[in-house]
Structure formats: C-alpha cells, structure tokens
Amino acid sequence: MSAPRVVTLDGPAGVGKTTLARRVAEALGLAYLDTGAMFRATALALGPGARELPEAELRARLAGLDFGLSGGGAASVLRLNGRAVGDEVRTEQVGMMASDVATLPVVREFLKAAQRAVGRATALVAEGRDMGTVVFPEAAHKIFLDAAPEVRARRRCEQLRAMGAPADLAAITEQIRARDHQDRNRAVAPLRPAPDAVVIDTGALDIDGVFAAIMAALGRA
Ligand code: DC
C-alpha cells in the first residue's frame, strides 16, 4: 500500500500529538509538520501585545516570516527564516502566547497559506488544531486525539518531573483548561474533530497503545 499524501492529527494541548506525529511520520516515511510550533514561533516573533496591534502592522510583520520544512520522518525540522525552531518555543508561557495570536484571523490566514505550501511540497503528517477541518479538509486520513484535562495535566507533570523540572499539578491543570477553553471557543477555526475524523480517546492508553490505534485507523495495523 502506498503511503498517504497527508495525514491530519488534531487534538487539545498536552494530548501527545507531537510525539505521535513524529512516530507515525517515521513509520510511514513522511515528513511531519508541527503547526503548534508555527503558532509558537510566530507569537515569539510578533512579541508581547501582538493582539493589540493594528492589522496592517501585523500583516507587515507576518510578511517577514518565511516558514519551511527540511528533512523527513522523525528528523523533520521546522525552519523560520532558515533557522531551526527549537526548544525556546516549548514553554507553557509561549503556548499561551500562541493560543492568543491564534485567535487573530490575519495570523491564521497567513499560517494556513504557509501550511498548505508545505503540504504541496511534501507528503506529511500535519498536527495541530484545525488540520482536518480547515487546512487539509481533503485529506483522506484524519485522526483526532482526546483525553480529559486531568489526564493530560498528569502526563505533563510526569514528563517535567522525569526531566528533573518542578511540576505543580494544580497549576498545570489550570493552564491546560484555560488553553482548551480559548482554543475550543474562538470564532475562527476552533478546535473540533472533522466530521470524517477517527476520534481516539487516549485516556486509558499509553503512547504505544495510541500509536497502534492510529496505525489501525490508517489501515496499517
Ligand atoms: O499544539 P501546541 O500546544 O504547540 O499549540 C500551541 C497553540 O497554538 C495552541 O494552544 C493553539 C494554537 N494552534 C492553533 O490554533 N492551530 C493549530 N493548528 C496549532 C496550534
């Protein structure tokens, strides 16, 4: 069976999309595109207070951002103006800044065009919030991962503790709830499964179990 052209993988914060997108891309020989990292890098580039800027100023700043993807499989690298987007975007604070700028239609339009351009150039696993609903609605394979906020917060705490970082479960649960609320309720491209997506509740599964469920949904079990 030949590899699909675009697999979409959507879901809320902390559900494991990036880890799984990387694994699925590696297994299928596709590139993977972390569109959350695009929103995060854009939020950092626009700087604090971006939501208050006039649209013309936002457009001018966005015009200076050139996203690209290099490599493939698990080694896919997102680039902004030629430089690899790295761990500087991975904090929860930058996640919330990304969720803020993601409510702006001008930002979403700009990134949608950039994401589609990558999809035209490369077969890929695209992960985010609106890959199946808005950016690649024609994709033949759509997955939506979900889990209760408490489950996602507990997993994130375990990850942080494993890295030796402090982790406050109550604070992380609150951050996840706040980001969920904003991502699910915004006017443009809110987080929701496409009508033709396979929804996988990851609550009772470990990473290997979710990976197996995705591969089964793609007919690759
Ligand atoms: O997946 P993530 O946590 O890296 O995403 C960061 C934020 O970016 C998320 O809270 C909302 C926004 N986002 C979006 O609106 N649409 C996407 N396709 C990906 C991310």
Side-chain angles (χ1 to χ4, degrees):
M1 205 192 290
S2 64
R5 171 118 202 107
V6 176
V7 175
T8 65
L9 191 58
D10 289 303
V15 78
K17 294 184 302 293
T18 306
T19 307
L20 285 153
R22 197 180 282 142
R23 263 183 82 167
V24 172
E26 182 70 19
L28 298 180
L30 305 175
Y32 84 93
L33 178 65
D34 175 351
T35 63
M38 295 174 84
F39 280 91
R40 288 167 182 262
T42 300
L44 277 182
L46 293 176
R51 271 216 280 201
E52 276 69 53
L53 290 174
E55 198 176 302
E57 175 62 24
L58 277 173
R59 267 185 216 289
R61 293 195 192 181
L62 290 167
L65 306 184
D66 181 21
F67 282 101
L69 193 65
S70 62
S76 305
V77 178
L78 175 68
R79 294 184 180 278
L80 173 54
N81 296 341
R83 288 186 49 196
V85 174
D87 287 345
E88 72 281 0
V89 305
R90 298 259 59 104
T91 65
E92 188 48 42
Q93 190 198 353
V94 176
M96 197 63 208
M97 285 168 67
S99 178
D100 287 345
V101 300
T103 63
L104 301 171
V106 60
V107 170
R108 299 209 73 86
E109 281 305 312
F110 172 78
L111 288 179
K112 181 167 75 178
Q115 290 153 6
R116 286 187 176 163
V118 172
R120 275 194 300 275
T122 319
L124 44 78
V125 179
E127 61 114 326
R129 302 290 186 290
D130 60 342
M131 296 298 104
T133 50
V134 174
V135 179
F136 299 111
E138 73 293 350
H141 302 280
K142 299 181 184 178
I143 309 288
F144 189 93
L145 301 180
D146 215 345
E150 296 75 17
V151 172
R152 289 180 274 132
R154 185 169 36 73
R155 287 184 187 148
R156 186 149 280 180
C157 274
E158 283 164 7
Q159 267 171 4
L160 286 168
R161 288 184 185 136
M163 293 186 311
D168 174 345
L169 181 60
I172 291 175
T173 308
E174 201 31 58
Q175 286 165 348
I176 282 187
R177 280 187 195 285
R179 204 134 69 85
D180 272 9
H181 182 80
Q182 179 155 279
D183 293 347
R184 289 185 205 268
N185 293 296
R186 65 179 173 229
V188 191
L191 170 67
R192 66 171 61 122
D196 53 343
V198 176
V199 179
I200 299 173
D201 185 341
T202 72
L205 300 170
D206 61 9
I207 284 284
D208 289 342
V210 181
F211 176 72
I214 294 174
M215 294 306 275
L218 299 177
R220 303 287 169 139

